[in-house]
Amino acid sequence: MPSDPDSKPVNQMPRRWSIGLNVAVQIILVLALFFGANRLSYRYHTRWDLSPQKNFTLSSATLNYLDKLSKDVFIANVIPRDGQLFGETQTLLEEYRINGRGRVKVRSIDPVRDVERAEALKAETGLALDQSGIVVRCSKRTRFITEEELVIREQGTETQRAIKEYRGEDAITSALINVVEGDERKFYFVVGKGARTEAAMVESMLAIGELGRQQNFQLFPLNLAEVSNVPADADGVILGGLRYDLSEREMDIIKAYWTRQRSGLLVMLDPSGETPRLNAFLGLHGVVPRGDRVLYAESTGSGTRKEFSVQAIFDVESSITRPLATTGTTLPGQTESLEVRFEDEYLKNQNIVVHPLMGAADRYWGERNYLEDLPVADEEDTRKDVFLAASVERGSITDERLRVDSCRMVVVGNASMLDKQSALAVNRDFVSACLNWILNREKLIGITPKPKSNYRIQLSQRQSEIIFWSTTLVMPSIVLCLGLMVWASRRAA
């Protein structure tokens, strides 16, 4: 059959150069999308902490401090990689690095495997590094946090004390303050006025001293009978569980200290103590100890039940207790209630602001006849506004930049909060917040330990079999079938 002279041969196969150009353009576009997406994800990204207790989410106090950090800080994680706390600590340190605006440098040094780097760190810092921990350094100041300082353990023998809480953020931020600020603040603990027991006073001093080591202040004993005034370098004075009253001369020393331009007092009252002069001083500043006992009593089938340990609720408005407002606590021992005169016109005229910090749960009341077998709340007792702690600020000014000149005092109607046998972590956090508030360091209030929880999944025999066959047979079979389908489709084409 003759061919049509007007018809032209049609080339149905694309030219090779057009195929190559098409492929090259596709490769360039894919690479551009890949690098562009990575660039955007690097500059604009969001991270989520999915742990149940938000173990890796820094508190607002730490974030604020890092945001205002003006010096470069080096942090080395000197915990072995196979150590129990290595992973959790390293992840937490990464949060410091990410939120440190380039000021925080983090390095992990395994003292067992990275021997050369560990020896170099020893030579550089002058530390022995004979145990695991964290090294925090700023300029020439160095602070070493031992591994045990990162945790709170349960009561028991050394071999059986399981980790109850992880307080890595508390310890690391405190070390940052220590090396950045340099000079330690000073608190003086009044001694020589008796206590519930000598051991109880020692325990309180040790507990507050531990807080001082973490919060960058030192604690010194102060016997008012041996001095003429409170030392000039005192940032605060602590009156903890006084059993005997201050003499007129000693009271004058405290009053003279309180009249300074910048002073701080933490008063932890022993309800069984006889301190009329101290109580009168507190009353002039809007906090009146009532001399009762906060308790709960009822008659049961097995006899009378009288409960002196008080379940307490924190105030939601004060900067001291706001971070603790979602939790409650228990005050051990005996507690007396406080009358808080926060609406007193005289105090307002004196520029004194009084605010309650802690109140008892509804079922408790302030009982004056607490020695009775079955006390009953009557008119002379306190049923409402059963306050257990309060803050006093003299010279308060609305402008936060000028508040450093105010005098601050915290009064607590309980002296057993820090007893070793009954101490709770939340009580320790409360005292720490009070001390930071007294030091005008509100930015450090709110760092609390993270509880450690163990989760166990109980599976039945049937569920275990389903998981076994799903992972060893079903899932591999699905992948194999998909591979065969792709192979068959390619062969058919």
Side-chain angles (χ1 to χ4, degrees):
M1 183 177 183
S3 60
D4 187 357
D6 296 331
S7 64
K8 296 180 180 180
V10 179
N11 185 8
Q12 297 180 354
M13 297 295 294
R15 296 179 182 180
R16 290 188 176 183
W17 66 267
S18 62
I19 296 176
L21 179 61
N22 188 29
V23 173
V25 171
Q26 293 181 18
I27 293 174
I28 293 173
L29 291 175
V30 169
L31 291 176
L33 289 173
F34 176 77
F35 287 108
N38 277 272
R39 177 64 176 174
L40 290 174
S41 64
Y42 175 77
R43 297 192 62 179
Y44 309 100
H45 61 277
T46 302
R47 305 169 73 249
W48 291 278
D49 183 359
L50 302 180
S51 58
Q53 282 81 31
K54 301 298 179 184
N55 295 332
F56 312 110
T57 299
L58 298 180
S59 66
S60 58
T62 297
L63 293 175
N64 291 336
Y65 189 79
L66 292 175
D67 187 57
K68 299 175 183 177
L69 198 61
S70 59
K71 299 180 181 179
D72 292 337
V73 178
F74 169 76
I75 305 178
N77 182 8
V78 196
I79 299 178
R81 291 189 180 91
D82 55 356
Q84 184 179 7
L85 298 178
F86 172 79
E88 194 164 7
T89 302
Q90 185 63 26
T91 305
L92 182 63
L93 290 178
E94 283 298 313
E95 292 294 323
Y96 279 83
R97 183 188 64 80
I98 293 169
N99 294 282
R101 299 182 300 107
R103 290 286 188 181
V104 180
K105 307 295 189 298
V106 175
R107 180 185 299 176
S108 174
I109 300 177
D110 190 327
V112 178
R113 298 176 177 84
D114 302 334
V115 179
E116 293 184 2
R117 296 171 66 186
E119 291 297 326
L121 184 62
K122 289 181 184 180
E124 184 179 354
T125 60
L127 298 174
L129 298 183
D130 52 354
Q131 55 183 319
S132 302
I134 299 173
V135 176
V136 183
R137 190 178 188 189
C138 178
S139 300
K140 296 182 180 180
R141 291 186 292 269
T142 304
R143 170 86 161 82
F144 181 68
I145 309 170
T146 64
E147 191 171 359
E148 280 302 307
E149 292 180 55
L150 301 175
V151 298
I152 298 175
R153 296 185 180 274
E154 296 178 347
Q155 298 292 332
T157 62
E158 290 295 327
T159 58
Q160 298 176 344
R161 295 175 62 201
I163 296 176
K164 181 171 62 175
E165 292 181 330
Y166 179 73
R167 51 175 302 271
E169 182 185 354
D170 187 5
I172 296 169
T173 300
S174 300
L176 279 176
I177 300 167
N178 191 303
V179 298
V180 172
E181 291 187 358
D183 297 334
E184 291 183 319
R185 306 291 186 91
K186 293 183 179 180
F187 271 94
Y188 287 85
F189 192 100
V190 174
V191 298
K193 306 305 295 183
R196 292 161 291 142
T197 63
E198 189 68 23
M201 185 186 71
V202 173
E203 285 182 3
S204 296
M205 291 189 65
L206 289 175
I208 296 176
E210 172 68 15
L211 291 177
R213 188 171 55 80
Q214 298 161 8
Q215 301 293 339
N216 196 33
F217 68 81
Q218 292 178 302
L219 185 67
F220 300 94
L222 176 65
N223 192 330
L224 295 176
E226 299 175 353
V227 298
S228 59
N229 51 56
V230 175
D233 59 357
D235 292 289
V237 175
I238 300 174
L239 295 90
L242 302 188
R243 180 61 62 89
Y244 309 118
D245 199 12
L246 301 175
S247 66
E248 291 186 6
R249 174 183 170 277
E250 294 168 340
M251 198 68 248
D252 289 339
I253 294 176
I254 294 297
K255 290 178 180 178
Y257 168 71
W258 179 248
T259 58
R260 293 181 185 177
Q261 186 178 18
R262 179 54 206 100
S263 59
L265 290 172
L266 173 60
V267 183
M268 302 179 69
L269 296 171
D270 181 355
S272 60
E274 296 292 334
T275 57
R277 292 189 184 92
L278 177 60
N279 293 352
F281 170 75
L282 299 177
L284 289 176
H285 294 84
V287 181
V288 182
R290 289 194 171 108
D292 55 13
R293 298 294 185 274
V294 181
L295 54 77
Y296 168 73
E298 65 177 351
S299 179
T300 65
S302 57
T304 301
R305 177 191 173 195
K306 189 161 57 172
E307 181 180 321
F308 283 100
S309 296
V310 184
Q311 295 180 7
I313 303 170
F314 294 106
D315 181 72
V316 298
E317 297 181 359
S318 172
S319 61
I320 301 175
T321 53
R322 192 181 301 119
L324 303 172
T326 58
T327 64
T329 187
T330 300
L331 300 186
Q334 295 187 359
T335 307
E336 67 177 310
S337 65
L338 306 173
E339 180 186 350
V340 181
R341 300 172 178 173
F342 44 84
E343 296 294 339
D344 193 291
E345 289 297 329
Y346 170 79
L347 297 177
K348 292 180 180 179
N349 294 333
Q350 296 295 317
N351 201 14
I352 296 176
V353 178
V354 186
H355 194 91
L357 300 178
M358 188 189 304
D362 291 340
R363 65 174 178 159
Y364 296 90
W365 71 89
E367 175 62 53
R368 292 189 177 276
N369 300 319
Y370 54 88
L371 295 178
E372 293 182 354
D373 291 336
L374 183 59
V376 178
D378 51 33
E379 293 182 356
E380 66 176 2
D381 297 323
T382 305
R383 290 290 299 176
K384 295 182 179 180
D385 296 334
V386 185
F387 297 124
L388 312 177
S391 64
V392 179
E393 185 171 13
R394 180 173 56 83
S396 174
I397 301 176
T398 306
D399 190 344
E400 292 290 337
R401 296 170 298 178
L402 304 177
R403 291 174 70 88
V404 293
D405 291 334
S406 65
C407 298
R408 298 182 171 187
M409 173 169 52
V410 174
V411 184
V412 185
N414 180 286
S416 308
M417 294 182 66
L418 298 177
D419 284 0
K420 185 177 181 180
Q421 299 300 324
S422 56
L424 298 177
V426 65
N427 290 341
R428 171 190 171 279
D429 294 335
F430 170 72
V431 175
S432 177
C434 292
L435 295 174
N436 276 317
W437 181 77
I438 288 173
L439 292 174
N440 288 273
R441 299 196 305 194
E442 285 91 343
K443 62 184 179 181
L444 300 182
I445 298 175
I447 307 175
T448 57
K450 303 294 194 305
K452 299 284 289 182
S453 302
N454 296 320
Y455 299 94
R456 178 177 297 177
I457 300 176
Q458 299 288 349
L459 298 177
S460 64
Q461 181 67 25
R462 176 62 178 168
Q463 291 171 329
S464 300
E465 292 177 356
I466 292 175
I467 293 175
F468 172 78
W469 290 112
S470 298
T471 55
T472 58
L473 180 62
V474 176
M475 295 178 65
S477 299
I478 293 174
V479 174
L480 179 61
C481 291
L482 291 175
L484 291 175
M485 291 172 60
V486 173
W487 176 80
S489 63
R490 290 183 176 179
R491 292 284 297 173

